[in-house]
Each structure stands twice: as structure tokens, then as C-alpha cells.
Amino acid sequence: MTDYSKLTDLELAALLNESDELAYTEIYNRYKGVLYLHAYSRLKNVEEVNDMIQELFAKLWDKRKTLVLKTNLSNYLYTAVRNRVIDFITHKKIESDYISGFQQFINQGEAATDHLLREKELSRIIEDEIQSLPSKMRQVFELSRKKNHSHREIAYELTLSEKTVKKHVNNALKILRVKLGSLIALMLILLH
């Protein structure tokens, strides 16, 4: 009976090519611990490292008949683990970047939506207050602020004096300032 623990990696690899389960078990027992430590030192995640090592040995068994070692068995296994660690880290970084970007998109969308809702509500409140102005004052104010007509154009259109137009606009702003607060009134002034 062969003592597999005394065989070299090269001999174990040759037996593995012949589907020798005891050779596979010896390779597993010989390298499982050091490969685990190697991967864990990089990932610090017990579950991921366990899965990675199990997957590595499962693939080793699946490819046993076609396995051609260009170097020795230990180099092959270390390289395989290193590549899996790199793939895992790369995948996690991509995943993290995607999640971060998606969260930022959601946050911007929420902020934009919130901003639009507030803007719409503010516009509605301002419009309601403008509609509650006395008729002639409202008409003058809308021509001034919404249609951007000059005082002269409004005076001509409504057959009023420019002084009367100016008075209507100033009175409308005073009323709106009281009702809406000076900040909103300032916004109305800036819109013109």
C-alpha cells in the first residue's frame, strides 16, 4: 500500500491525472490550509475564502484528466488562488462602485424630485396669492412679471398712466410680501 503523504507533488499530480481519489485527498490535505491562509490574508472573509478554496479543489478534480502543470503543483494552486482573490476583489469593487453610483443616482433623483415638488408647490402658492389680488392690480402685475412688459407697454395696453402702473406693481409686491414673506417676494422681484 502506498503512503501518499511521502509522494512528491509531481507524483501526486500524475496519480490525479489517473483519477486517483487518494492522491486528490492528499493534495487537498497538503494545500488546503496554506491556500486558505493565503486567501484569508487578502480577503479577511471566512465564508468567501472557504467557498473559494472549495471551488478551487472542485475544479482541480473536474480538470484532473486534462491538467497539465507548466510549473509545480504548489505554484499552480497558489496562482489559482491568487487569480480567484484578484477576481473577487475586482468583482467586489465593481459591485461597490455600481451600488455607490446607483445610490448616488437615487439620492440625486430624490433631491431633484423633492426640489421639483417644492418648486411646484411654491409656484402654486404664489399663483394663488396673485389670483387673490384686486382685478386691475393683478392684471398689471401679470403683464409686468409674467409677460415681461415694461411699465410703458402696460400703460399703453391698459390705457393707464405709467405712474398708475408702477403704483399697482409696487402695491402688488407689498401685498405678496406680507402674504408670502419677504423671501418669496424677493424671488418675484428677481424674476423680472
Side-chain angles (χ1 to χ4, degrees), residues 71-162:
T71 62
N72 59 38
L73 182 60
S74 65
N75 282 348
Y76 173 81
L77 294 171
Y78 275 105
T79 301
V81 166
R82 187 192 74 221
N83 290 340
R84 280 176 170 72
V85 166
I86 290 169
D87 289 347
F88 178 81
I89 291 170
T90 302
H91 177 75
K92 283 298 180 189
K93 171 139 180 41
I94 290 168
E95 187 178 274
S96 175
D97 290 349
Y98 176 78
I99 290 170
S100 178
F102 188 68
Q103 186 61 49
Q104 187 176 12
F105 172 76
I106 288 170
N107 292 343
Q108 287 174 345
E110 286 175 359
T113 302
D114 187 46
H115 177 74
L116 288 174
L117 286 174
R118 285 188 209 170
E119 189 177 296
K120 197 179 252 186
E121 180 63 15
L122 182 60
S123 293
R124 187 195 60 75
I125 290 169
I126 292 170
E127 190 55 40
D128 287 349
E129 291 302 328
I130 291 172
Q131 292 306 312
S132 71
L133 292 171
S135 175
K136 188 59 84 175
M137 187 183 296
R138 184 186 77 244
Q139 189 178 15
V140 168
F141 187 80
E142 286 178 336
L143 288 171
S144 170
R145 294 304 189 253
K146 290 182 178 178
K147 305 236 186 216
N148 293 320
H149 288 1
S150 69
H151 288 180
R152 175 174 284 163
E153 292 169 327
I154 297 169
Y156 178 77
E157 189 174 326
L158 300 179
T159 59
L160 300 170
S161 71
E162 282 185 53

Side-chain angles (χ1 to χ4, degrees), residues 2-8 12 22 26 30:
T2 307
D3 183 2
Y4 285 86
S5 67
K6 294 194 192 273
L7 296 177
T8 65
L12 287 172
L22 293 175
E26 178 58 31
R30 193 176 286 183

Side-chain angles (χ1 to χ4, degrees), residues 26-48:
E26 178 58 31
I27 293 169
Y28 180 81
N29 290 334
R30 193 176 286 183
Y31 287 103
K32 163 184 81 163
V34 292
L35 293 173
Y36 176 90
L37 291 173
H38 182 65
Y40 185 79
S41 70
R42 308 275 188 293
L43 299 180
K44 307 284 191 245
N45 184 317
V46 172
E47 288 179 25
E48 291 297 337

